Amino acid sequence: AFFRPLAESYVYAILASLVVALTITPAMALLLLARGDVPAEEPRLVHSLKGLYRNALSRLIARPAAAAITLLALLAGTMAAAPLLGEELLPNFREYDFLMHWVEKPGASVEASTRITQRASEELMAIPGVRNFGSHIGRAEVADEVVGPNFTELWISLDPSVDYDATVAKVQAVVDGYPGLKRDLLTYLRERIKEVLTGASATVVVRIFGPEIETLQSNAATIKQALDGIPGAVDVQVQSQVLVPQIEVQFLPELAAPYGLTAGDVRRAVTTLVQGARVGEIYDEQRVFSVVVRGTPELRQSPEAIQALRIPTASGTHIPLSAVARVTIAPALSEVTREGGSRKLDVTCNVRGRDLGSVARDIQARLSGVALGEGYHAEVLGEYAVRQASSRRLLLMSGLTLLFIFLILMVDFGDPRLATLVFVTLPFALVGAIAAAFLSTGILSLGSLVGLITVIGIAARNGIMMVSHFRHLEVEEQMPFGADLVMRGAQERLAPILMTALATGLALLPIALGGNKAGQEIEHPLAVVILGGLVTSTILNLFLLPPLYLRYRRSRA
């Protein structure tokens, strides 16, 4: 969803540039270069660069084995270092609008939630830079979220002119000052993404499945204890599921039979008197008002009052509810949740101070040592699970893309060995890309993975330009194959390769140097990775590909 527009724009730009290169550029060259004002000599800068390049490349041409060993060593070091990078699905968006969930004990009253919310609002509004505060408690009658009055959602907005990190730290300190509540502090976009992924507003969700509530609760407590000691795992919480008092009406059919009453008759009468029943509507201009029949407040103030409710019988008389049902106060769970036909219970946590991948792997390692019992199992969900699935899908598509690149090289060169030579130079880009990721944040996000794919395309372009020119000199200009051909071809491709690399790099440089600012959380790691891969792919193509081509073509001849 995030990178599809980027990919589409990139493809359209490539197609447009291809059309321009094949149509408009030749026509403009014919018009502009026909005047004869093209300098006969190279610019001084290009001439100097070629001299330096010629001196360095002449030493490497004589040592193709050293070039191959250097390439293998760089690739081996890159592949060994890549697993050390941290993993994230998406960065922490530097938004100025925050959404907080505060969950008190089930059964808490609206008055108690209102009181603590007002107190928190006073503390938050006292922080310099907090512009406004809002909240809602519980839910509306037809709301989409099923929550009680113990659930409060808070919104705050910060002034964009304040120090972002310092102000967020002060807000977090106020939120942490209410230890009796289950709470979180998330930007609005990140909270929406988490809820879409798992239905919970936590980064990592350990979802336990099984048949019995008591065993689920015991397993959840065990898993929470295991997660508490993991560095970086914060706000470890078990889904609120406690016993609350509930009035229970148990129908007694043997007592109701003489009166001709059924369980449905009793249920409808009790529901109407206690909760109310909608019987019609009143229209006033463009407003609609429901007509509800309900018992007076005195009828539902206590179990004794409910026992005394008058139930109409078929004969037209009224009897007390206690004559046909047993009314008691019994403990009941505040909520029971299910998924896929199985009961479930969540243990959630957020990640702070470490990357998501490291924390998730530690969680999976801890879970492997927890015995849940027969018929029970746990799944690690949340951002990490989605990132793993996205990474697998991205790597699969990348593998197919590389296969098509190889087939295109085969069609162009008509030689599988030349196609293989260009193909093995594609990892040149990974060396700098991984190094750039280490030097910037040390984290490989989904944006960084997209950057890796992009720099592979850049490396393929550079390699094709170099090898194609070698073949042009040998086939079209009938130059004998050897070191002189490779030296000449490499020098002639020096300026085009450097120009394209500089043009691409300069376009990305403002994003890379701008840092992780608001609005650049995805583009910044992508730009850093592409720049790093661009540098190494350019250098390695210029200095390692020519010696390898010389050695490779010589062995074939």
Side-chain angles (χ1 to χ4, degrees), residues 99-142:
L99 183 64
M100 293 177 286
H101 293 140
W102 283 19
V103 184
E104 299 185 45
K105 291 289 185 182
S109 64
V110 175
E111 291 76 17
S113 298
T114 303
R115 183 172 60 253
I116 196 170
T117 302
Q118 289 177 344
R119 179 179 173 184
S121 70
E122 295 171 358
E123 294 188 42
L124 290 170
M125 289 300 293
I127 298 175
V130 175
R131 288 193 305 185
N132 52 54
F133 173 93
S135 69
H136 73 238
I137 298 171
R139 68 183 177 102
E141 190 171 330
V142 291

Side-chain angles (χ1 to χ4, degrees), residues 359-379:
V359 175
R361 285 191 292 270
D362 288 349
I363 290 175
Q364 290 176 331
R366 295 283 182 92
L367 290 178
S368 63
V370 177
L372 300 178
E374 186 176 354
Y376 297 84
H377 71 281
E379 298 178 4

